[in-house]
Amino acid sequence: MPQRVFDPKPNNFNLSFTQLSTPRFKWPSGNRPRFLSTSGSSEPEKPQNPSQYPSQNPNFKHQEIEGPTVERDLSDLGNETRTVLEVMAKNMYSLSRTVAVLGLVQLGLGAYISYMTRSSPIPEVSIQSFLAFGFPFSLAFMLRQSLKPIYFFKKMEEQGRLQILTLALQVAKNLNVFFIRVRGVSVLCIAGLSAGVLFQLAYKLT
């Protein structure tokens, strides 16, 4: 650490009282203290050149991949796989419409039965009619939701982004998720129907 040398003798005898009362220090050459200015802004200095920001540089921006990335399988097996998947998707769409119509028929039949038995309503029939309407509509909705990823991956395969084997794998995974959802909805319907019937039996016994 450099030693500070105190010089009590001022060089100029005509100094004011304030200047005389202020001690003067001599620092060895090369070891003078450095004072940091605090008058500037505390924010970091921004680069003047906008190209220094990677997000503003067009060379760093995201660019969509155009054109095919894999070679399409145009063999007989690949074409047959595409045909089978397309027919299956159309059958799923037709099945969803049929199941939705079945739900509407069940709803109309339940409303008719409730109207005919309005003098002596049967709660069990109302519960069964509600489930007979809700389950087909839920099934139709899940079928429509399952078709969206199938058409998406099918479009990617047509553009040369996916192989035919990857397309078949994604369709199989999607169908597996659909079956799991149908099983869950079926269990919920069974539980709801059982709870409703038991509640009505307990109400009648009391």
Side-chain angles (χ1 to χ4, degrees):
M1 180 177 181
Q3 298 181 356
R4 296 178 294 179
V5 179
F6 177 70
D7 186 10
K9 296 180 179 181
N11 295 327
N12 188 1
F13 292 95
N14 295 326
L15 298 177
S16 62
F17 176 77
T18 305
Q19 293 176 340
L20 288 174
S21 61
T22 304
R24 300 179 61 188
F25 297 93
K26 291 184 178 181
W27 297 87
S29 59
N31 293 325
R32 294 183 179 276
R34 297 180 181 179
F35 300 96
L36 300 177
S37 174
T38 58
S39 60
S41 176
S42 60
E43 298 181 357
E45 184 180 358
K46 298 182 179 180
Q48 301 295 332
N49 191 3
S51 62
Q52 296 182 9
Y53 292 100
S55 60
Q56 298 180 0
N57 193 336
N59 297 327
F60 288 89
K61 291 184 178 180
H62 172 71
Q63 297 181 359
E64 183 180 359
I65 300 176
E66 299 179 357
T69 57
V70 296
E71 185 177 357
R72 294 192 68 191
D73 185 7
L74 301 178
S75 61
D76 295 338
L77 181 60
N79 294 331
E80 184 178 0
T81 303
R82 295 185 188 92
T83 303
V84 171
L85 292 178
E86 185 176 359
V87 172
M88 184 190 67
K90 291 181 179 180
N91 290 333
M92 291 177 63
Y93 183 80
S94 177
L95 178 62
S96 65
R97 290 190 302 178
T98 305
V99 173
V101 173
L102 177 62
L104 290 176
V105 173
Q106 294 282 0
L107 179 62
L109 183 60
Y112 174 75
I113 294 175
S114 299
Y115 177 77
M116 296 300 296
T117 59
R118 63 183 183 276
S119 57
S120 57
I122 305 175
E124 291 81 2
V125 175
S126 300
I127 295 174
Q128 194 275 336
S129 300
F130 177 76
L131 291 178
F133 159 74
F135 180 77
F137 260 75
S138 301
L139 183 60
F141 176 77
M142 289 185 293
L143 282 170
R144 292 295 180 92
Q145 292 296 319
S146 300
L147 284 174
K148 292 182 179 180
I150 292 178
Y151 281 121
F152 172 77
F153 289 114
K154 183 176 179 295
K155 182 179 180 181
M156 291 294 102
E157 195 277 331
E158 291 177 353
Q159 295 178 357
R161 305 290 181 85
L162 294 177
Q163 295 181 355
I164 188 65
L165 182 60
T166 306
L167 172 62
L169 177 62
Q170 295 297 332
V171 172
K173 288 182 178 180
N174 189 54
L175 290 178
N176 184 40
V177 174
F178 168 73
F179 294 144
I180 294 175
R181 291 176 178 175
V182 172
R183 182 182 62 187
V185 173
S186 301
V187 172
L188 290 177
C189 290
I190 294 173
L193 180 60
S194 302
V197 172
L198 291 176
F199 178 78
Q200 290 299 325
L201 290 176
Y203 178 78
K204 289 180 180 180
L205 291 177
T206 56

